């Protein structure tokens, strides 16, 4: 990994050098290296792919226009981060006025067990989930807590528990199913309760 | 189960799609803070550093890369034009020379990278002239191009079996013979030649006109109507796709490339359109009769105010020019128009 990083830095240094010499073909290599990374970065935050290419087009044009001011690879990476991050944040801020975008973002960022058609108070769901989780089998409970409480990705959990990523996914899918079913039962109960007092 | 409150966990849950609704709203709130030192920014920086180190799958997007090269070319021509605008009326000729020179040097520079042939074939160069500017330069195969105002031309850095260029607007081509066909593509039709000099005009909402100066060209419009031109002939395709061929005065059609606008009994409406592009102004003709007037005259490297004076003295018109909006209003004077 460290060796690769050194190699990468040398490559980036070369690209920067060529950019400063007005070599337009250096843009192609810059693109080859940064585009997949910037795309991954932007998509993870934006969740929605619409508009990412427009943002990244701006980023690459800005790099070219400011090529004489580029410093070393580390400051260059930090600078690329700043311009991309600002573009991404601006896009989110502008799009948040749009309810469909907001819903989509919610759908893709919020854990599945919270995605319910019922208009139950979120606090109520949370309390319900907390209770149901304790009755999950031990391993499944551990995986679920690492994901939902500690915020680890499936890959990280797999590494920590020394199990496959697929197993982690299965545990989580089953946990969600179990929680949703249990909540449905709870929902029916509360609905009956509601009718009784009407 | 307890819920952790620090941003690091919330943000990674946001990335992993495992937030609770309240964590989601907190991340969004932090995103909406325009403060540069917001907590979420720090988390994003960490995520960016991880992304740089991670093994990311390669992802290609040659269309986007083309767009970036186009934008870069456009931004650079803008810089030149901006400078150019300051001396617009004094240094028109010099500026055209500068634009041409810059483009030429870009092309020359690319030439000594010939070994990477395939790479360069995929790269598209674009040259755009805004209204009020014209340029001329050499294509990768040595053919010469004059590009009129408000036109865009794109071509690969390296030609393959066919020499392709894409054009919107007007250009004059002096194509060198090298055994490969040379093809001008426009949104309205294509012109194919071997080695010759010709003019192609394809502005939006106007006739598609191809005029041959020497050699031989084949014109094919979007509805597959074709015609082969002889020198001195012009193929015209109207917006309604009527295809006609006629004999024309070549000097009149191609005069623009030598910095002249020549008109012989040209409807005033057309003259106005040409002037709009040539001088980057907006012209409003007041009254139908004025539009039907014919104008005859040559405009050669004059400043816009000189042109106005010229038209004013040679035609029965009055005009008002607003320098800020660059809108020129032309009124006809009520008297018989047989003088023109």
């Amino acid at each position: 990994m460290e060796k690769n990083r050194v190699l990468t830095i040398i490559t980036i240094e070369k690209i920067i050098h060529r950019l400063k010499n007005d070599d337009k073909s250096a843009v192609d290599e810059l693109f080859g290296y940064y585009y997949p990374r910037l795309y991954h970065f932007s998509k993870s935050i934006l969740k929605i792919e619409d508009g990412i290419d427009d943002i990244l087009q701006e980023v690459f044009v800005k790099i070219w226009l400011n090529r004489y001011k580029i410093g070393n690879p580390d400051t260059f990476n930090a600078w690329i981060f700043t311009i991309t991050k600002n573009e991404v944040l601006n896009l989110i801020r502008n799009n948040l006025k749009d309810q469909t975008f907001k819903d989509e973002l919610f759908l893709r960022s919020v854990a599945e067990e919270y995605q319910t058609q019922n208009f139950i108070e979120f606090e109520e769901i949370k309390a319900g989930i907390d209770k149901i989780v304790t009755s999950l089998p031990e391993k499944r409970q551990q995986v679920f807590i690492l994901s939902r409480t500690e915020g680890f990705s499936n890959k990280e959990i797999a590494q920590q528990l020394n199990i496959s990523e697929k197993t982690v996914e299965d545990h989580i899918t089953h946990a969600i199913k179990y929680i949703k079913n249990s909540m449905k039962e709870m929902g029916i109960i509360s609905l009956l309760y509601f009718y009784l007092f009407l | 189960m307890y819920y952790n409150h620090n941003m690091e966990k919330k943000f990674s849950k946001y990335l992993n799609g495992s937030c609770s609704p309240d964590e989601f709203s907190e991340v969004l709130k932090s995103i909406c803070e325009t403060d540069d030192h917001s907590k979420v920014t720090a988390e994003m920086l960490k995520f960016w550093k991880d992304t740089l180190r991670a093994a990311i799958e390669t992802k290609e997007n040659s269309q986007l890369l083309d767009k970036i090269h186009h934008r870069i070319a456009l931004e650079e021509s803008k810089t030149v034009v901006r400078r150019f605008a300051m001396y617009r009326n004094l240094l028109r000729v010099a500026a055209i020379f500068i634009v041409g020179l810059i483009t030429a040097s870009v092309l020359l520079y690319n030439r000594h990278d010939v070994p990477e042939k395939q790479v360069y074939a995929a790269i598209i160069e674009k040259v755009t002239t805004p209204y009020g500017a014209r340029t001329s330069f050499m294509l990768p195969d040595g053919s010469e191009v004059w590009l009129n105002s408000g036109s865009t031309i794109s071509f690969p850095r390296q030609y393959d079996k066919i020499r392709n260029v894409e054009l919107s607007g007007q250009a004059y081509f002096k194509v060198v013979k090298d055994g490969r066909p040379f093809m001008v593509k426009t949104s309205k039709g294509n012109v194919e030649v071997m080695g010759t000099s010709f003019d192609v005009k394809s502005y939006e909402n106007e006739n598609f006109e191809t005029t041959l100066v020497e050699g031989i060209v084949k014109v094919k419009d979007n509805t597959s109507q074709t015609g082969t031109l002889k020198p001195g002939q012009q193929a015209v395709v109207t917006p309604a796709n009527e295809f006609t061929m006629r004999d024309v005065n070549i000097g009149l059609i191609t005069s623009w490339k030598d910095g002249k606008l020549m008109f012989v009994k040209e409807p005033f409406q057309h003259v106005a359109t040409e002037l709009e592009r040539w001088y980057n102004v907006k012209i409003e003709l007041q009254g139908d009769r004025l539009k039907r007037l014919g104008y005859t005259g040559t405009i050669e490297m004059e400043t816009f105010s000189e042109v106005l004076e010229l038209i004013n003295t040679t035609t029965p018109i009055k005009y008002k020019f607003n320098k800020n909006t660059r809108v020129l209003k032309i009124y006809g004077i009520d008297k018989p128009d047989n003088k023109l």
Side-chain angles (χ1 to χ4, degrees):
Chain A
M1 185 92 109
E2 204 43 41
K3 196 183 159 201
N4 276 341
R5 193 172 133 70
V6 173
L7 275 179
T8 312
I9 286 177
I10 293 171
T11 319
I12 296 175
E13 256 171 5
K14 275 187 189 157
I15 297 176
I16 294 174
H17 181 75
R18 283 167 53 204
L19 283 175
K20 288 188 175 183
N21 282 314
D22 301 334
D23 180 354
K24 277 188 189 164
S25 66
V27 174
D28 298 13
E29 274 168 60
L30 191 77
F31 188 84
Y33 179 76
Y34 282 102
Y35 178 65
R37 287 168 173 79
L38 288 171
Y39 198 92
H40 175 78
F41 174 80
S42 312
K43 199 198 151 195
S44 306
I45 296 169
L46 271 169
K47 309 275 175 185
I48 292 155
E49 301 192 54
D50 269 8
I52 293 182
D53 278 349
D54 293 338
I55 285 181
L56 298 187
Q57 184 182 334
E58 288 308 314
V59 171
F60 284 102
V61 172
K62 268 187 192 156
I63 293 174
W64 174 261
L65 294 178
N66 293 290
R67 61 192 179 281
Y68 302 125
K69 296 180 206 153
I70 300 173
N72 63 47
D74 280 333
T75 55
F76 182 52
N77 281 331
W79 178 62
I80 293 179
F81 162 75
T82 307
I83 48 182
T84 311
K85 177 215 64 180
N86 287 341
E87 296 274 358
V88 167
L89 290 184
N90 278 336
L91 190 64
I92 297 185
R93 285 172 196 148
N94 289 334
N95 283 345
L96 279 177
K97 292 163 202 152
D98 176 9
Q99 191 58 41
T100 23
F101 174 85
K102 229 173 156 176
D103 292 346
E104 195 64 35
L105 200 61
F106 183 90
L107 209 68
R108 293 176 192 220
S109 322
V110 172
E112 210 188 317
E113 60 269 22
Y114 288 100
Q115 318 255 359
T116 147
Q117 294 293 314
N118 298 353
F119 294 100
I120 314 173
E121 275 295 298
F122 145 70
E123 290 296 333
E124 210 177 311
I125 303 178
K126 195 163 86 174
I129 293 172
D130 284 359
K131 213 161 129 194
I132 298 160
V133 165
T134 54
S135 57
L136 283 171
E138 198 195 326
K139 195 77 172 183
R140 190 157 294 168
Q141 194 179 129
Q142 192 186 4
V143 168
F144 194 77
I145 288 174
L146 281 174
S147 165
R148 299 315 199 235
T149 311
E150 301 301 321
F152 290 116
S153 69
N154 292 357
K155 202 175 171 183
E156 288 165 328
I157 297 171
Q159 278 166 358
Q160 274 185 43
L161 300 181
N162 210 12
I163 50 178
S164 75
E165 221 179 309
K166 180 81 178 56
T167 313
V168 175
E169 273 169 33
D170 286 346
H171 275 308
I172 290 178
T173 322
H174 283 114
I176 291 170
K177 217 170 170 185
Y178 177 73
I179 290 169
K180 281 200 158 176
N181 276 330
S182 308
M183 287 211 299
K184 213 188 248 170
E185 283 164 24
M186 286 163 73
I188 291 163
I189 292 163
S190 66
L191 206 69
L192 279 174
Y193 190 73
F194 178 70
Y195 278 122
L196 283 175
F197 282 86
L198 202 74
Chain B
M1 199 147 105
Y2 64 97
Y3 287 84
N4 198 295
H5 289 286
N6 73 50
M7 184 51 83
E8 186 180 357
K9 283 182 185 170
K10 279 171 205 156
F11 188 68
S12 52
K13 284 191 206 175
Y14 173 86
L15 293 179
N16 297 331
S18 58
C19 279
S20 69
D22 58 338
E23 289 167 332
F24 172 70
S25 5
E26 273 181 67
V27 172
L28 275 197
K29 215 176 115 192
S30 186
I31 282 175
C32 290
E33 282 167 16
T34 34
D35 178 12
D36 245 5
H37 304 289
S38 73
K39 287 182 217 153
V40 79
T41 301
E43 293 309 320
M44 285 183 179
L45 181 58
K46 266 189 241 164
F47 177 55
W48 171 240
K49 285 181 175 165
D50 289 344
T51 309
L52 281 176
R53 273 193 294 270
I56 302 283
E57 255 179 75
T58 53
K59 183 174 171 66
E60 283 179 23
N61 190 337
S62 58
Q63 242 182 333
L64 182 65
L65 184 58
D66 282 349
K67 273 193 198 162
I68 290 165
H69 276 292
H70 174 212
R71 275 281 310 281
I72 285 172
L74 203 68
E75 292 291 337
E76 292 193 335
S77 70
K78 258 195 221 160
T79 339
V80 174
V81 171
R82 238 178 265 131
R83 242 177 272 145
F84 168 38
M86 291 167 54
Y87 308 102
R88 185 182 294 274
N89 292 330
L90 289 171
L91 296 172
R92 192 177 295 278
V93 186
I96 292 167
F97 179 67
I98 290 167
V99 178
L101 202 68
I102 286 168
T103 325
S105 65
V106 168
L107 293 168
L108 283 174
Y109 183 79
N110 290 332
R111 275 194 178 179
H112 58 74
D113 294 321
V114 175
E116 294 171 67
K117 212 172 185 173
Q118 280 181 320
V119 178
Y120 286 105
I123 299 171
I124 306 294
E125 291 279 357
K126 246 180 210 200
V127 180
T128 297
T129 45
Y131 284 176
R134 280 157 296 281
T135 183
S136 70
F137 55 91
M138 208 174 263
L139 290 171
D141 65 333
S143 297
E144 286 174 88
V145 181
W146 285 259
L147 198 60
N148 207 348
S149 313
S151 306
T152 298
I153 191 167
S154 53
F155 50 90
R157 272 199 204 169
Q158 190 88 48
Y159 283 124
D160 201 18
K161 286 180 188 120
I162 296 174
R163 297 175 284 172
N164 270 328
V165 302
E166 270 180 47
L167 170 75
S168 81
Q170 185 171 22
Y172 181 89
F173 297 92
K174 208 167 171 182
V175 176
V176 292
K177 269 188 197 149
D178 76 350
R180 295 174 295 181
F182 185 98
M183 174 93 91
V184 182
K185 290 185 178 167
T186 79
S187 62
K188 302 173 174 186
N190 302 335
V191 183
E192 192 187 323
V193 306
M194 290 308 283
T196 129
S197 298
F198 62 104
D199 184 285
V200 179
K201 193 175 182 185
S202 175
Y203 287 107
E204 232 171 279
N205 304 324
E206 289 179 35
N207 287 347
F208 168 46
E209 296 174 358
T210 307
T211 313
L212 185 63
V213 176
E214 56 176 78
I216 191 162
V217 306
K218 221 181 357 188
V219 181
K220 185 176 181 183
D221 76 358
N222 282 345
T223 57
S224 291
Q225 302 178 92
T226 56
T228 304
L229 291 178
K230 283 183 218 128
Q233 282 191 324
Q234 181 182 59
V236 181
V237 184
T238 64
N241 289 317
E242 290 156 300
F243 191 110
T244 47
M245 298 211 307
R246 60 185 185 194
D247 292 322
V248 290
N249 177 346
I250 296 166
L252 219 62
I253 311 277
T254 62
S255 59
W256 64 268
K257 80 175 176 65
D258 305 314
K260 278 184 248 180
L261 280 179
M262 282 167 68
F263 304 103
V264 175
K265 290 183 191 157
E266 190 71 23
F268 211 82
Q269 181 81 72
H270 290 175
V271 175
T273 311
E274 295 287 348
L275 289 178
E276 281 184 301
R277 282 199 284 264
W278 198 257
Y279 289 106
N280 186 24
V281 293
K282 184 92 193 74
I283 298 177
E284 288 173 10
L285 298 182
Q286 312 286 325
D288 281 345
R289 213 169 55 89
L290 187 61
K291 289 176 191 168
R292 290 194 304 270
L293 279 184
Y295 178 78
T296 300
T298 299
I299 293 162
E300 189 176 356
M301 290 295 171
E302 272 110 355
T303 65
F304 188 57
S305 48
E306 283 168 346
V307 172
L308 292 180
E309 251 338 286
L310 186 75
I311 295 178
N312 197 22
T313 51
T314 52
T315 42
I317 58 155
K318 281 192 302 193
Y319 66 85
K320 265 187 204 154
F321 181 58
N322 183 329
K323 266 189 184 167
N324 297 318
T325 58
R326 295 189 72 79
V327 172
L328 172 77
K329 283 187 183 168
I330 301 181
Y331 309 86
I333 294 171
D334 259 343
K335 60 181 175 185
D337 50 29
N338 53 11
K339 275 195 178 172
L340 294 164

mmCIF file of all heavy atoms in Angstrom, chain B residues 136-160:
data_model
loop_
_atom_site.group_PDB
_atom_site.id
_atom_site.type_symbol
_atom_site.label_atom_id
_atom_site.label_comp_id
_atom_site.label_asym_id
_atom_site.label_seq_id
_atom_site.Cartn_x
_atom_site.Cartn_y
_atom_site.Cartn_z
ATOM 1 N N SER B 136 -8.887 31.984 -38.327
ATOM 2 C CA SER B 136 -8.500 30.999 -39.326
ATOM 3 C C SER B 136 -7.360 30.183 -38.772
ATOM 4 O O SER B 136 -6.580 30.667 -37.971
ATOM 5 C CB SER B 136 -8.090 31.689 -40.624
ATOM 6 O OG SER B 136 -6.875 32.358 -40.438
ATOM 7 N N PHE B 137 -7.300 28.938 -39.150
ATOM 8 C CA PHE B 137 -6.237 28.061 -38.637
ATOM 9 C C PHE B 137 -6.109 26.837 -39.528
ATOM 10 O O PHE B 137 -6.837 26.685 -40.504
ATOM 11 C CB PHE B 137 -6.528 27.643 -37.193
ATOM 12 C CG PHE B 137 -7.872 26.996 -37.019
ATOM 13 C CD1 PHE B 137 -8.023 25.624 -37.120
ATOM 14 C CD2 PHE B 137 -8.987 27.772 -36.759
ATOM 15 C CE1 PHE B 137 -9.263 25.037 -36.963
ATOM 16 C CE2 PHE B 137 -10.236 27.191 -36.603
ATOM 17 C CZ PHE B 137 -10.369 25.828 -36.707
ATOM 18 N N MET B 138 -5.150 25.963 -39.153
ATOM 19 C CA MET B 138 -4.890 24.792 -39.968
ATOM 20 C C MET B 138 -5.374 23.545 -39.252
ATOM 21 O O MET B 138 -5.202 23.398 -38.044
ATOM 22 C CB MET B 138 -3.395 24.711 -40.226
ATOM 23 C CG MET B 138 -3.055 24.029 -41.516
ATOM 24 S SD MET B 138 -1.288 24.129 -41.806
ATOM 25 C CE MET B 138 -1.197 25.541 -42.883
ATOM 26 N N LEU B 139 -5.999 22.638 -39.978
ATOM 27 C CA LEU B 139 -6.445 21.365 -39.406
ATOM 28 C C LEU B 139 -5.258 20.398 -39.332
ATOM 29 O O LEU B 139 -4.235 20.634 -39.967
ATOM 30 C CB LEU B 139 -7.560 20.776 -40.285
ATOM 31 C CG LEU B 139 -8.891 21.532 -40.232
ATOM 32 C CD1 LEU B 139 -9.837 20.996 -41.307
ATOM 33 C CD2 LEU B 139 -9.519 21.409 -38.857
ATOM 34 N N PRO B 140 -5.407 19.286 -38.584
ATOM 35 C CA PRO B 140 -4.292 18.346 -38.430
ATOM 36 C C PRO B 140 -3.716 17.828 -39.756
ATOM 37 O O PRO B 140 -2.559 17.446 -39.823
ATOM 38 C CB PRO B 140 -4.911 17.196 -37.642
ATOM 39 C CG PRO B 140 -6.053 17.787 -36.919
ATOM 40 C CD PRO B 140 -6.557 18.913 -37.766
ATOM 41 N N ASP B 141 -4.534 17.813 -40.824
ATOM 42 C CA ASP B 141 -4.038 17.281 -42.099
ATOM 43 C C ASP B 141 -3.425 18.373 -42.978
ATOM 44 O O ASP B 141 -2.999 18.097 -44.098
ATOM 45 C CB ASP B 141 -5.179 16.598 -42.862
ATOM 46 C CG ASP B 141 -6.249 17.602 -43.274
ATOM 47 O OD1 ASP B 141 -6.385 18.632 -42.575
ATOM 48 O OD2 ASP B 141 -6.925 17.372 -44.292
ATOM 49 N N GLY B 142 -3.385 19.606 -42.476
ATOM 50 C CA GLY B 142 -2.800 20.697 -43.249
ATOM 51 C C GLY B 142 -3.821 21.517 -44.014
ATOM 52 O O GLY B 142 -3.483 22.523 -44.626
ATOM 53 N N SER B 143 -5.088 21.096 -44.008
ATOM 54 C CA SER B 143 -6.130 21.880 -44.659
ATOM 55 C C SER B 143 -6.375 23.169 -43.864
ATOM 56 O O SER B 143 -6.223 23.187 -42.647
ATOM 57 C CB SER B 143 -7.439 21.083 -44.721
ATOM 58 O OG SER B 143 -7.263 19.932 -45.496
ATOM 59 N N GLU B 144 -6.752 24.233 -44.593
ATOM 60 C CA GLU B 144 -6.980 25.498 -43.905
ATOM 61 C C GLU B 144 -8.463 25.750 -43.690
ATOM 62 O O GLU B 144 -9.286 25.370 -44.519
ATOM 63 C CB GLU B 144 -6.402 26.640 -44.730
ATOM 64 C CG GLU B 144 -4.887 26.716 -44.688
ATOM 65 C CD GLU B 144 -4.384 27.787 -45.638
ATOM 66 O OE1 GLU B 144 -4.295 28.948 -45.205
ATOM 67 O OE2 GLU B 144 -4.109 27.435 -46.808
ATOM 68 N N VAL B 145 -8.769 26.393 -42.582
ATOM 69 C CA VAL B 145 -10.159 26.721 -42.259
ATOM 70 C C VAL B 145 -10.268 28.180 -41.867
ATOM 71 O O VAL B 145 -9.434 28.684 -41.117
ATOM 72 C CB VAL B 145 -10.676 25.898 -41.055
ATOM 73 C CG1 VAL B 145 -12.128 26.237 -40.766
ATOM 74 C CG2 VAL B 145 -10.535 24.422 -41.290
ATOM 75 N N TRP B 146 -11.274 28.866 -42.393
ATOM 76 C CA TRP B 146 -11.634 30.191 -41.907
ATOM 77 C C TRP B 146 -12.984 30.042 -41.218
ATOM 78 O O TRP B 146 -13.927 29.498 -41.817
ATOM 79 C CB TRP B 146 -11.775 31.176 -43.061
ATOM 80 C CG TRP B 146 -10.475 31.620 -43.647
ATOM 81 C CD1 TRP B 146 -9.839 32.806 -43.392
ATOM 82 C CD2 TRP B 146 -9.663 30.924 -44.593
ATOM 83 N NE1 TRP B 146 -8.672 32.882 -44.119
ATOM 84 C CE2 TRP B 146 -8.538 31.746 -44.862
ATOM 85 C CE3 TRP B 146 -9.749 29.674 -45.222
ATOM 86 C CZ2 TRP B 146 -7.518 31.368 -45.743
ATOM 87 C CZ3 TRP B 146 -8.733 29.296 -46.093
ATOM 88 C CH2 TRP B 146 -7.643 30.132 -46.353
ATOM 89 N N LEU B 147 -13.076 30.475 -39.982
ATOM 90 C CA LEU B 147 -14.309 30.290 -39.234
ATOM 91 C C LEU B 147 -14.975 31.642 -39.019
ATOM 92 O O LEU B 147 -14.372 32.562 -38.483
ATOM 93 C CB LEU B 147 -13.977 29.630 -37.888
ATOM 94 C CG LEU B 147 -15.104 28.954 -37.125
ATOM 95 C CD1 LEU B 147 -15.720 27.830 -37.937
ATOM 96 C CD2 LEU B 147 -14.579 28.395 -35.800
ATOM 97 N N ASN B 148 -16.218 31.753 -39.472
ATOM 98 C CA ASN B 148 -16.938 33.024 -39.344
ATOM 99 C C ASN B 148 -17.526 33.195 -37.936
ATOM 100 O O ASN B 148 -17.518 32.257 -37.141
ATOM 101 C CB ASN B 148 -18.050 33.091 -40.403
ATOM 102 C CG ASN B 148 -18.390 34.535 -40.775
ATOM 103 O OD1 ASN B 148 -17.958 35.465 -40.094
ATOM 104 N ND2 ASN B 148 -19.144 34.711 -41.836
ATOM 105 N N SER B 149 -18.085 34.377 -37.665
ATOM 106 C CA SER B 149 -18.627 34.693 -36.338
ATOM 107 C C SER B 149 -19.717 33.726 -35.908
ATOM 108 O O SER B 149 -20.485 33.252 -36.735
ATOM 109 C CB SER B 149 -19.231 36.091 -36.341
ATOM 110 O OG SER B 149 -18.361 36.991 -36.939
ATOM 111 N N GLY B 150 -19.783 33.458 -34.616
ATOM 112 C CA GLY B 150 -20.844 32.637 -34.063
ATOM 113 C C GLY B 150 -20.838 31.216 -34.597
ATOM 114 O O GLY B 150 -21.879 30.645 -34.852
ATOM 115 N N SER B 151 -19.641 30.664 -34.798
ATOM 116 C CA SER B 151 -19.536 29.318 -35.362
ATOM 117 C C SER B 151 -18.666 28.430 -34.483
ATOM 118 O O SER B 151 -17.833 28.915 -33.742
ATOM 119 C CB SER B 151 -18.914 29.374 -36.754
ATOM 120 O OG SER B 151 -19.630 30.257 -37.578
ATOM 121 N N THR B 152 -18.918 27.129 -34.605
ATOM 122 C CA THR B 152 -18.111 26.169 -33.853
ATOM 123 C C THR B 152 -17.697 25.049 -34.791
ATOM 124 O O THR B 152 -18.490 24.585 -35.598
ATOM 125 C CB THR B 152 -18.928 25.547 -32.702
ATOM 126 O OG1 THR B 152 -19.292 26.587 -31.813
ATOM 127 C CG2 THR B 152 -18.112 24.503 -31.944
ATOM 128 N N ILE B 153 -16.436 24.655 -34.659
ATOM 129 C CA ILE B 153 -15.975 23.543 -35.473
ATOM 130 C C ILE B 153 -15.255 22.573 -34.555
ATOM 131 O O ILE B 153 -14.571 22.984 -33.631
ATOM 132 C CB ILE B 153 -15.064 24.053 -36.614
ATOM 133 C CG1 ILE B 153 -14.802 22.947 -37.620
ATOM 134 C CG2 ILE B 153 -13.752 24.601 -36.100
ATOM 135 C CD1 ILE B 153 -14.180 23.464 -38.901
ATOM 136 N N SER B 154 -15.467 21.269 -34.756
ATOM 137 C CA SER B 154 -14.726 20.303 -33.948
ATOM 138 C C SER B 154 -14.178 19.213 -34.850
ATOM 139 O O SER B 154 -14.759 18.873 -35.871
ATOM 140 C CB SER B 154 -15.600 19.728 -32.851
ATOM 141 O OG SER B 154 -16.780 19.228 -33.399
ATOM 142 N N PHE B 155 -13.008 18.719 -34.452
ATOM 143 C CA PHE B 155 -12.317 17.731 -35.277
ATOM 144 C C PHE B 155 -11.393 16.931 -34.386
ATOM 145 O O PHE B 155 -10.930 17.430 -33.359
ATOM 146 C CB PHE B 155 -11.514 18.438 -36.382
ATOM 147 C CG PHE B 155 -10.640 19.547 -35.876
ATOM 148 C CD1 PHE B 155 -9.336 19.298 -35.479
ATOM 149 C CD2 PHE B 155 -11.132 20.846 -35.766
ATOM 150 C CE1 PHE B 155 -8.539 20.324 -34.998
ATOM 151 C CE2 PHE B 155 -10.342 21.872 -35.281
ATOM 152 C CZ PHE B 155 -9.034 21.605 -34.897
ATOM 153 N N PRO B 156 -11.110 15.657 -34.775
ATOM 154 C CA PRO B 156 -10.195 14.869 -33.944
ATOM 155 C C PRO B 156 -8.768 15.389 -34.079
ATOM 156 O O PRO B 156 -8.400 15.938 -35.117
ATOM 157 C CB PRO B 156 -10.325 13.461 -34.516
ATOM 158 C CG PRO B 156 -10.867 13.637 -35.878
ATOM 159 C CD PRO B 156 -11.651 14.899 -35.895
ATOM 160 N N ARG B 157 -7.973 15.224 -33.042
ATOM 161 C CA ARG B 157 -6.585 15.671 -33.099
ATOM 162 C C ARG B 157 -5.806 14.919 -34.158
ATOM 163 O O ARG B 157 -4.811 15.376 -34.674
ATOM 164 C CB ARG B 157 -5.911 15.401 -31.752
ATOM 165 C CG ARG B 157 -6.098 16.528 -30.806
ATOM 166 C CD ARG B 157 -5.052 16.407 -29.742
ATOM 167 N NE ARG B 157 -5.516 17.082 -28.551
ATOM 168 C CZ ARG B 157 -4.931 16.984 -27.389
ATOM 169 N NH1 ARG B 157 -3.866 16.217 -27.238
ATOM 170 N NH2 ARG B 157 -5.392 17.633 -26.371
ATOM 171 N N GLN B 158 -6.268 13.690 -34.406
ATOM 172 C CA GLN B 158 -5.567 12.867 -35.382
ATOM 173 C C GLN B 158 -6.608 12.248 -36.289
ATOM 174 O O GLN B 158 -7.548 11.625 -35.802
ATOM 175 C CB GLN B 158 -4.816 11.770 -34.621
ATOM 176 C CG GLN B 158 -3.869 10.996 -35.464
ATOM 177 C CD GLN B 158 -2.521 11.680 -35.496
ATOM 178 O OE1 GLN B 158 -2.006 12.051 -34.458
ATOM 179 N NE2 GLN B 158 -1.953 11.841 -36.657
ATOM 180 N N TYR B 159 -6.460 12.434 -37.600
ATOM 181 C CA TYR B 159 -7.447 11.853 -38.501
ATOM 182 C C TYR B 159 -7.176 10.389 -38.744
ATOM 183 O O TYR B 159 -6.046 9.949 -38.775
ATOM 184 C CB TYR B 159 -7.434 12.576 -39.844
ATOM 185 C CG TYR B 159 -8.124 13.907 -39.795
ATOM 186 C CD1 TYR B 159 -7.459 15.061 -40.170
ATOM 187 C CD2 TYR B 159 -9.439 13.994 -39.377
ATOM 188 C CE1 TYR B 159 -8.096 16.287 -40.135
ATOM 189 C CE2 TYR B 159 -10.081 15.206 -39.336
ATOM 190 C CZ TYR B 159 -9.409 16.350 -39.723
ATOM 191 O OH TYR B 159 -10.040 17.540 -39.682
ATOM 192 N N ASP B 160 -8.271 9.639 -38.931
ATOM 193 C CA ASP B 160 -8.120 8.231 -39.258
ATOM 194 C C ASP B 160 -8.322 8.056 -40.765
ATOM 195 O O ASP B 160 -7.681 8.736 -41.542
ATOM 196 C CB ASP B 160 -9.137 7.426 -38.432
ATOM 197 C CG ASP B 160 -8.730 5.971 -38.307
ATOM 198 O OD1 ASP B 160 -7.548 5.689 -38.544
ATOM 199 O OD2 ASP B 160 -9.589 5.145 -37.981
#
